[in-house]
Amino acid sequence: MTQYAILTDLNRCVGCMACMVSCKVINGVPIGSYWNKMLRIGPYKRKNPKGYQESNDVDMYYLSVQCQHCKNPKCVEVCPTGASHKMEDGTVQIDKAKCIGCQFCAMSCPYNVRYLNEEERVVEKCTLCEQLTSQGGLPQCVAQCGGRARFFGDLDKGIESFEAPRNAYKADREHNDFGYDQLFEGNRITFGELGQPYDKQTEVHHLPNAGNDPSFVYVLRDREWKGDE
């Protein structure tokens, strides 16, 4: 079974917020609402500043939070109309034709990443850019990440296979129907190729699991994970 997800290499993320901006632009997200939020974690004092000068024992990093396209999504369980549903590719989508705006799904989400579109009276959230990935492209937040901190792939194939643009903003040779340069496979690099070594037991993280089994992966090396807070 396929389970699409995003891996974020937090050591590479510089907090530029290009992922937030590009997401809002391509998906027409209203002002004041977000499908992808960037949180600053810290500054906080290192627990074990060994190897660092005393003046450099304070650390921080950026953490992106969005729909985790969970393996067992609670939002799907509580939806009374079947509007929220899980696809064969593992993503969680919303059928706006069935949504009645009751917001049960928003209340059940542990990550507070759904909102009610007041104008349309339907709930919205990250779709993992289904309009792009269904054609072989990358989610826009991955394609526009200048630091190449975000990677997209299938969890069943392992996070080493997750992909990002090899040449960042350099144009590809083919365009899809949306005019975005994401189909040319020669412009891809995997996390296994680009990522620095990491401890698979202690440096691979997920957001808190409330029985929903979040799919997104965060890699954080040599820093204190505070995503559970």
Side-chain angles (χ1 to χ4, degrees), residues 6 13 30-31 45-47 51 69 80 88 103-104 106 108 115 119 122 147 157 186 189 196 204 225:
I6 287 177
C13 177
I31 295 174
K45 191 165 185 177
R46 286 176 175 267
K47 287 184 177 180
H69 294 275
E88 290 185 1
Q103 301 181 71
F104 288 168
S108 69
Y115 66 90
E119 183 176 343
V122 294
K157 296 181 180 178
I189 191 169
Q196 297 296 312
V204 177
W225 170 253

Side-chain angles (χ1 to χ4, degrees), residues 98-109:
K98 295 181 178 179
C99 180
I100 58 175
C102 67
Q103 301 181 71
F104 288 168
C105 59
M107 290 183 279
S108 69
C109 175

Side-chain angles (χ1 to χ4, degrees), residues 151 159-162 189-195:
F151 299 79
I159 62 175
E160 301 293 319
S161 69
F162 278 40
I189 191 169
T190 66
F191 178 64
E193 294 175 288
L194 186 63

Side-chain angles (χ1 to χ4, degrees), residues 18-189:
C19 56
M20 291 177 58
V21 175
S22 61
C23 171
K24 288 178 72 69
V25 170
I26 195 172
N27 294 298
V29 180
I31 295 174
S33 299
Y34 298 89
W35 288 12
N36 179 23
K37 300 177 183 179
M38 185 65 68
L39 307 180
R40 187 189 71 187
I41 308 300
Y44 61 90
K45 191 165 185 177
R46 286 176 175 267
K47 287 184 177 180
N48 301 304
K50 184 178 180 181
Y52 293 84
Q53 296 181 2
E54 187 173 342
S55 60
N56 293 332
D57 64 353
V58 174
D59 215 339
M60 63 170 285
Y61 58 91
Y62 296 94
L63 179 68
S64 59
V65 178
Q66 64 200 90
C67 174
Q68 300 291 294
H69 294 275
C70 305
K71 296 179 182 178
N72 299 297
K74 299 300 178 183
C75 55
V76 172
E77 290 184 15
V78 301
C79 181
T81 65
S84 288
H85 59 284
K86 195 165 176 67
M87 304 282 286
E88 290 185 1
D89 60 11
T91 63
V92 177
Q93 305 294 342
I94 300 173
D95 184 340
K96 290 187 176 182
K98 295 181 178 179
C99 180
I100 58 175
C102 67
Q103 301 181 71
F104 288 168
C105 59
M107 290 183 279
S108 69
C109 175
Y111 314 113
N112 192 30
V113 292
R114 290 180 171 229
Y115 66 90
L116 179 68
N117 183 318
E118 297 287 353
E119 183 176 343
E120 298 184 28
R121 301 305 299 175
V122 294
V123 172
E124 295 181 332
K125 68 168 192 68
C126 162
T127 63
L128 211 52
C129 286
E130 183 188 25
Q131 74 274 29
L132 299 178
T133 58
S134 63
Q135 297 190 64
L138 296 171
Q140 191 71 352
C141 60
V142 174
Q144 297 300 325
C145 179
R148 278 178 289 177
R150 296 169 74 85
F151 299 79
F152 170 75
D154 181 358
L155 279 179
D156 289 350
K157 296 181 180 178
I159 62 175
E160 301 293 319
S161 69
F162 278 40
E163 295 181 324
R166 179 178 294 274
N167 296 317
Y169 297 105
K170 188 174 291 186
D172 298 332
R173 297 174 184 173
E174 295 184 19
H175 296 264
N176 60 18
D177 292 344
F178 295 87
Y180 293 92
D181 306 314
Q182 298 176 37
L183 292 183
F184 181 47
E185 295 181 358
N187 192 30
R188 299 285 180 85
I189 191 169

